[in-house]
Amino acid sequence: MRETAGTTETLARIRDAEMTPGICYVCPWTCPTEVFTRGGDVVYVRGNTRASTRGSRCVKGEASHVLAKDPNRLKHPMKRLGPNEFQRITWDEAFTLIARKLGEIKAAWGPEAVAYLWHLDPNSVFAQVFLTECYGTPNYYGHTSACEQDRRLAALTVLGHVFPVHDYEHSKFIMLLGINMLGANQSLFESRGLLQALSQGTRLVVVDPALTATAEKASEWVPIAPGTDGALLLAMAHTIVTEKLYDEPFCRQWTHGFDEFCRHVVERGYTADWAQGVTSVEAATIRRLAREFAGTKPAMIETFKGLGNYSNGLDASRVVYILNALTGQVDGPGNLILKEWAPLQPPVTVPEARKAKIGKPPLHVAMGYPLAPDLPTQLLPDAVLEGKPYPVKALFFQCTNPAMSEPNTERYLAMLRALDFSVAIDTYMSETAAECHLVLPEASFYERAEVRQSLAMPPEAILCVPALAPYHEARPVYEIVRGIAEKMGYGDLFRWDSWEEWARRIVRDLPADLETLKRTGFWSGEVRYHKYREGGFATPTGKIELASESFAKHGYNALPEYRDRKVLPDAAYPFQLINTKFETHCNLTTQNNPILLRIRGENWAELNTEDARRLGIADGDRIEVESPRGKVGIQAKVRPGVRPGVVCVRHGHGFGHWQGIAKGRGSHINPILDTNVNPISGGIGYNECKVRIRKV
Ligand SMILES: Nc1nc2c(c(=O)[nH]1)N[C@H]1C(S)=C(S)[C@@H](COP(=O)(O)OP(=O)(O)OC[C@H]3O[C@@H](n4cnc5c(=O)[nH]c(N)nc54)[C@H](O)[C@@H]3O)O[C@H]1N2
Ligand SMILES: Nc1nc2c(c(=O)[nH]1)N[C@H]1C(S)=C(S)[C@@H](COP(=O)(O)OP(=O)(O)OC[C@H]3O[C@@H](n4cnc5c(=O)[nH]c(N)nc54)[C@H](O)[C@@H]3O)O[C@H]1N2
Ligand code: SF4
Ligand SMILES: [Mo]
């Protein structure tokens, strides 16, 4: 290696340090890392350059070493005595209390009155096995409804894949709607692929009401009217259909409902001229984009959260995948890749004879959302407060802070306060934890083991080896679940001498063994294109469903339609509120990091220069943003790169309960957001919000 000042410094830092493979868990894309420790301290972390993420690493990950020693972290289990009053207890007392409460609730209400909510942690699987297979509740859920629920259901029902990834690098035309790849940096390794494509001359079209970091780098920015993408996309389909720009042999062989879909867009009159009136994007632009997309190979259209944040986002997202299908490019170079998963197995197996019988349907089904990929969490308060569709009495929260991340905060807090029993497993005293009967400190990703699926293109498993002893009395969730299981008579199923024992069970079908993974940090397979040619698509018909069988089976329209979103600005509330995130923070997990807080100490609401001038608002002024639900004060950021009539809020700051340095910095917008749930997916419409603003 040629030594530069930087490498000399690095070499000095890692001299005599021990390296363990790790995983960055600051954002959902979990880059594999190499963690160097010396004397119980993290001295250096770098991205794992041999994994398919090629060493990707961002500032949030870089700054995360602070976590290992953050004095604001939870240190021991605690029992709530009253508002802001907690008593330290032992782990044994905590497990005894949980076991007693779970026993009482099961006897009085049945096991389904207990639900477990988690976000993004594969180790939650231990809780899944215990709760669903031993205790007997079907209510084990992630937090997708707060996230990409619409995209997920759209991809699943159209393409038969829950999480397509992107081969940006090989694409020649990329159109992104409601996805800020270079801002809220959805997987850094993919962002790099996108930048690579741009340097090769790929055309990038960004459709977004805000000039995002991605739009700034794009060939073209289309500042669409919020919540109207469905119309734009259907009109693109109309052009492709009427001008026969589709790949007919592909559509005939590999899609279901092709003729039906073609007739549908024509009969419904989804023309570019019609869409112009809805979206404010010129008809000529829509036609041109359709022709460019269909005429360039390879080309890709994609979305993430931006479309799903509206009540009409599910059908818009379906059309995104249908367009990729019409041009015959799905799962090919430069398009969406229907990623193959690494063959990982459960860490714990419950013998059939000991498996609990599940008596009631899971909550999402009982709530009337049979297709929802995850619980419509905005409706959970109905179950707790009103017993609808059936009573829920106890909740576990792991790695999730819905008291801050869900809309309608008031109702969520009311729900938390009405529970018979609640447990938060977190690294900090989150707003949710502060309301729970029991708060349990989890070991951070520097202190726990984990085997998970990577989100990179090939099938890939990544391993996290504990680099440090747990912080104070913190424990990984697998140890927490084991403690509960032991108290409830299932200890024999959750028995291991070391984490390696269960990790070996997880990787038993992987082509690499645990010892190899401990050296390399990952196992990676090949990226294979066009896998459907062997076995079709994982949909009911085995084809890409332009007309969805699953939708039809449940009485929904099999074909995507355009409807206006539910909440539209009016004379009293003339602005549309939309959400996005900071490059340098992730959701609610990084604000207490001193390095990141120094970069972005406060969040803000962006508004258009002309709107601001009219209202006498200058950049940096405090403004009040008011919806029919309530109001909050926030800093204004004035810039031309926001569509007039739109207020774009950066999510994540505005903590209240935390004792950390982030307390009181910035503003929390969710209390003014109302409950808006997509009627099919159960996803949350964060952007279904009209507001008025004034300078304060
Ligand atoms: N740095 C950073 N990275 C993150 C996160 C983070 O907080 N910070 N969060 C992680 C998580 S959990 C997720 S889910 C992903 C989210 O990744 P993205 O989905 O890319 O994140 P958002 O910033 O919510 O992007 C939504 C975009 O939709 C736009 N938008 C709003 N309304 C409309 C509309 O009507 N039409 C169109 N076309 N666009 C619209 C917004 O302006 C915004 O640019 O990022 C992940 N990565
Ligand atoms: N207004 C608005 N609201 C939003 C969004 C938005 O754009 N605007 N974005 C939405 C999106 S995309 C998402 S995904 C949701 C996410 O919302 P949540 O599911 O609430 O997840 P996070 O915001 O990531 O908060 C994670 C919690 O996990 C804790 N934590 C961090 N690391 C660990 C760990 O290792 N172990 C444990 N046990 N806990 C840990 C943190 O302290 C924090 O309390 O928020 C949604 N809410
Ligand atoms: S992109 Fe996400 S996972 Fe990767 S280093 Fe940054 S915060 Fe960590
Ligand atoms: Mo998310």
Side-chain angles (χ1 to χ4, degrees), residues 5 87 90 142 234 311 315 336 400 527 552:
Q87 180 194 0
T90 65
L234 282 161
S311 52
D315 272 5
L336 302 162
T400 185
V527 177

Side-chain angles (χ1 to χ4, degrees), residues 56-75:
S56 61
R57 193 104 178 107
C58 77
V59 63
K60 305 187 297 304
E62 287 289 323
S64 69
H65 60 87
V66 169
L67 242 187
K69 293 275 155 76
D70 187 345
N72 293 132
R73 269 180 63 183
L74 292 170
K75 298 184 178 66

Side-chain angles (χ1 to χ4, degrees), residues 532-660:
Y532 58 86
R533 288 178 185 162
E534 291 160 21
F537 293 87
T539 56
T541 55
K543 297 188 173 188
I544 295 179
E545 297 199 350
L546 311 188
S548 166
E549 290 280 290
S550 320
F551 271 55
K553 186 175 146 209
H554 289 96
Y556 309 128
N557 193 345
L559 295 160
E561 312 170 279
Y562 182 75
R563 287 215 183 92
D564 260 345
R565 63 191 187 279
K566 259 171 52 193
V567 181
L568 297 165
D570 53 29
Y573 299 96
F575 284 89
Q576 167 79 41
L577 185 143
I578 67 171
N579 287 270
T580 184
K581 311 182 186 219
F582 278 124
E583 290 84 336
T584 46
H585 283 288
C586 189
N587 295 346
L588 307 172
T589 61
T590 52
Q591 287 74 13
N592 211 56
N593 184 306
I595 301 166
L596 301 176
L597 198 67
R598 213 175 302 138
I599 301 173
R600 286 277 182 261
E602 198 177 329
N603 63 335
W604 57 62
E606 294 173 9
L607 55 148
N608 178 271
T609 317
E610 275 310 302
D611 286 336
R613 193 189 48 75
R614 205 167 27 84
L615 296 167
I617 296 167
D619 191 48
D621 277 352
R622 297 291 300 173
I623 56 169
E624 189 178 83
V625 181
E626 182 177 5
S627 79
R629 268 213 85 73
K631 50 190 170 192
V632 293
I634 190 166
Q635 189 192 158
K637 192 91 177 161
V638 176
R639 60 189 199 102
V642 181
R643 205 189 137 86
V646 169
V647 179
C648 180
V649 175
R650 302 289 189 125
H651 167 67
H653 291 66
F655 290 89
H657 289 89
W658 278 20
Q659 294 311 307

Side-chain angles (χ1 to χ4, degrees), residues 27-29 60 119-120 147-148 177-181 183-187 207-210 212 224-229 304-307 309-310 578-587 648 687:
C27 93
W29 314 106
K60 305 187 297 304
H119 185 52
L120 298 172
C147 188
E148 28 78 55
L177 308 95
I179 165 173
N180 188 4
M181 278 304 304
N185 58 6
Q186 272 217 48
S187 68
V207 181
D208 199 302
T212 59
I224 193 166
T228 65
D229 299 71
F304 204 70
K305 242 193 69 210
L307 304 196
N309 279 334
Y310 301 90
I578 67 171
N579 287 270
T580 184
K581 311 182 186 219
F582 278 124
E583 290 84 336
T584 46
H585 283 288
C586 189
N587 295 346
C648 180
N687 294 355

Side-chain angles (χ1 to χ4, degrees), residues 25-26 28 67 118-121 143-144 146-148 304-305 309 397-407 424-432 440-445 448 477 577 579-581 586-590 649-652 655 658 668-670 673 684 686-687:
Y25 178 70
V26 175
L67 242 187
W118 61 284
H119 185 52
L120 298 172
D121 178 8
H143 205 186
T144 322
C147 188
E148 28 78 55
F304 204 70
K305 242 193 69 210
N309 279 334
F397 302 95
Q398 188 214 342
C399 294
T400 185
N401 183 8
M404 258 199 97
S405 53
E406 289 271 326
I425 304 170
D426 206 295
T427 38
Y428 291 90
M429 180 60 85
S430 71
E431 281 66 15
T432 304
L440 305 178
E442 202 194 341
S444 80
F445 60 87
R448 64 182 188 230
V477 81
L577 185 143
N579 287 270
T580 184
K581 311 182 186 219
C586 189
N587 295 346
L588 307 172
T589 61
T590 52
V649 175
R650 302 289 189 125
H651 167 67
F655 290 89
W658 278 20
H668 182 214
I669 203 75
N670 295 34
L673 309 180
I684 294 172
Y686 283 95
N687 294 355

